[in-house]
Amino acid sequence: MIRSDIDARSVFFAILLAFFALLVAAIIKPFLSYLLGVILLAFVLYPLQRRLEPRLGDQLSAFALVAGALSATALSVAVMVMAVPTDPSRVTQTIENELARGQFQRQLESALGVELPLQSFLANAPRRVAQLLVGDISNIVSATTDVFIGLLLLVFSLYYLLKDGDRLVAWIKRMLPLEAEITEELTDEAYVTTWAVLKGHVLVAVVQGIVAGAGLFVVGISNVLFWTAVMMFLALLPIVGVAAVLGPAALYLFLDGRLLAAGFLVAYGLTAVALVDDYLRAYVVDRGSSLHSAVILVGVFGGVYAFGVMGLFYGPIVIGLFKRLVQLFNEHYVETAETRTRAE
């Protein structure tokens, strides 16, 4: 009777725990991307927090790091805005002239074998864009509100993660129903894999942006520094990548009659720039996390679908932790059980 009463209480407690877990998940879901981002940012800044704490204290050091992160972000945005090309008239005029002559349209129609109403489409484009913006004004306001709340959550969460992050990690370790040895190994694996993924993606984005920017410089595209910075950011995004800049640049060169430069930029993007993404990213992350290159690519693309932009980092991390969990389960439970069976 006592045993059945204990089992009933355990089942009720498990149901109650699952119910509140679903409620917490529903609360977190709208701001999941911000929370995932702040965890990575706190992970990067925490070594600085540990160095500053003995001198400034945990509160002041956390405040200083948050203020520094906000200042660096604001400065980066200001520099990008100031570097935006202010005279795009040449590009616009070139495209308008070529479309007016119809040469580009005839070439494209000849290649595709169909008629393309580019003139009417471009003539109606401003009106369609205006209708789209007016029709979605409520969605824009809602999205702006969500971003504002998300950024506030990010700032406050970053402060408290830096200030109390070590206590949070210690509490999670205590709550995990695992042996202390397994918990430590999982923690070490998470630390190593996270640093490998962060360093790999950021390093590759910087290198790929510089390599792509060199190609723009060679063919004579103006505002190379601005576009290089843009491509460094775009290089973090799978599928899109630096092609979002190199493609239009090649099209502009083609319309401007610089066929050799356009061909060179396309070939350069498909070889030198693509090799940086395919091999350097896999090499850096693979070397630091012991994950196979194919697994890293699956983690990157699958992570983006699962977690959004933050999945670029969390995808490989999750797969790396899953791999380590399988190894630990095999080492501590399967092999141990087989050893006991043979001993008996």
Side-chain angles (χ1 to χ4, degrees):
M1 182 65 180
I2 297 177
R3 180 67 179 176
S4 61
D5 183 55
I6 294 176
D7 291 341
R9 290 180 180 179
S10 300
V11 171
F12 175 76
F13 187 81
I15 294 174
L16 190 64
L17 184 63
F19 174 72
F20 275 93
L22 290 175
L23 291 180
V24 172
I27 293 171
I28 292 176
K29 184 178 179 181
F31 304 102
L32 181 60
S33 296
Y34 295 97
L35 293 175
L36 293 177
V38 78
I39 291 173
L40 284 180
L41 188 56
F43 179 83
V44 172
L45 294 177
Y46 189 70
L48 293 176
Q49 171 74 10
R50 292 182 62 183
R51 291 187 178 184
L52 293 176
E53 274 186 4
R55 303 175 183 176
L56 304 178
D58 56 354
Q59 295 181 353
L60 187 56
S61 57
F63 179 81
L65 288 175
V66 172
L70 291 176
S71 301
T73 302
L75 181 62
S76 300
V77 172
V79 171
M80 289 289 291
V81 171
M82 292 174 61
V84 171
T86 57
D87 185 20
S89 57
R90 185 187 173 197
V91 177
T92 304
Q93 190 64 40
T94 299
I95 294 176
E96 290 179 353
N97 291 341
E98 290 296 329
L99 289 175
R101 293 207 312 261
Q103 180 180 354
F104 174 68
Q105 183 175 350
R106 287 193 297 272
Q107 292 177 350
L108 197 57
E109 289 176 346
S110 176
L112 298 178
V114 295
E115 293 185 1
L116 299 175
L118 292 180
Q119 300 283 355
S120 60
F121 175 79
L122 291 174
N124 296 326
R127 178 176 56 83
R128 293 177 180 176
V129 172
Q131 291 176 348
L132 179 63
L133 291 177
V134 173
D136 290 343
I137 190 67
S138 60
N139 294 333
I140 294 175
V141 173
S142 176
T144 303
T145 303
D146 291 343
V147 169
F148 178 75
I149 296 175
L151 291 177
L152 282 180
L153 178 64
L154 187 148
V155 170
F156 285 103
S157 299
L158 178 60
Y159 171 79
Y160 285 109
L161 280 178
L162 291 173
K163 177 178 173 291
D164 302 320
D166 53 347
R167 288 187 283 273
L168 176 62
V169 172
W171 179 82
I172 293 175
K173 288 182 178 180
R174 290 197 306 270
M175 293 301 104
L176 287 177
L178 298 172
E179 299 175 9
E181 181 183 356
I182 297 178
T183 301
E184 288 299 324
E185 291 191 35
L186 277 177
T187 304
D188 294 340
E189 181 66 24
Y191 180 84
V192 172
T193 304
T194 302
W195 269 121
V197 171
L198 283 172
K199 290 188 294 185
H201 287 314
V202 173
L203 173 64
V204 170
V206 172
V207 174
Q208 191 176 25
I210 293 174
V211 172
L216 295 181
F217 176 77
V218 170
V219 296
I221 297 293
S222 59
N223 300 102
V224 172
L225 292 179
F226 168 77
W227 293 118
T228 299
V230 171
M231 289 188 291
M232 286 181 184
F233 172 76
L234 293 175
L236 292 171
L237 307 177
I239 301 177
V240 180
V242 299
V245 174
L246 293 182
L251 177 60
Y252 161 69
L253 292 172
F254 177 78
L255 293 176
D256 198 32
R258 299 158 63 184
L259 303 183
L260 184 60
F264 168 79
L265 192 60
V266 171
Y268 184 78
L270 293 176
T271 54
V273 179
L275 287 176
V276 171
D277 184 62
D278 293 339
Y279 291 97
L280 184 59
R281 185 189 305 274
Y283 173 76
V284 173
V285 182
D286 182 25
R287 185 179 181 183
S289 65
S290 71
L291 290 176
H292 191 273
S293 302
V295 176
I296 294 171
L297 292 178
V298 171
V300 168
F301 287 102
V304 171
Y305 279 101
F307 305 115
V309 175
M310 286 295 106
L312 179 69
F313 303 100
Y314 280 95
I317 293 172
V318 169
I319 292 182
L321 288 178
F322 174 73
K323 174 188 174 183
R324 189 58 185 152
L325 272 172
V326 173
Q327 293 174 339
L328 290 173
F329 179 79
N330 183 67
E331 294 171 3
H332 290 269
Y333 297 102
V334 177
E335 292 181 359
T336 303
E338 292 177 353
T339 303
R340 291 177 180 175
T341 302
R342 285 194 297 266
E344 293 175 357

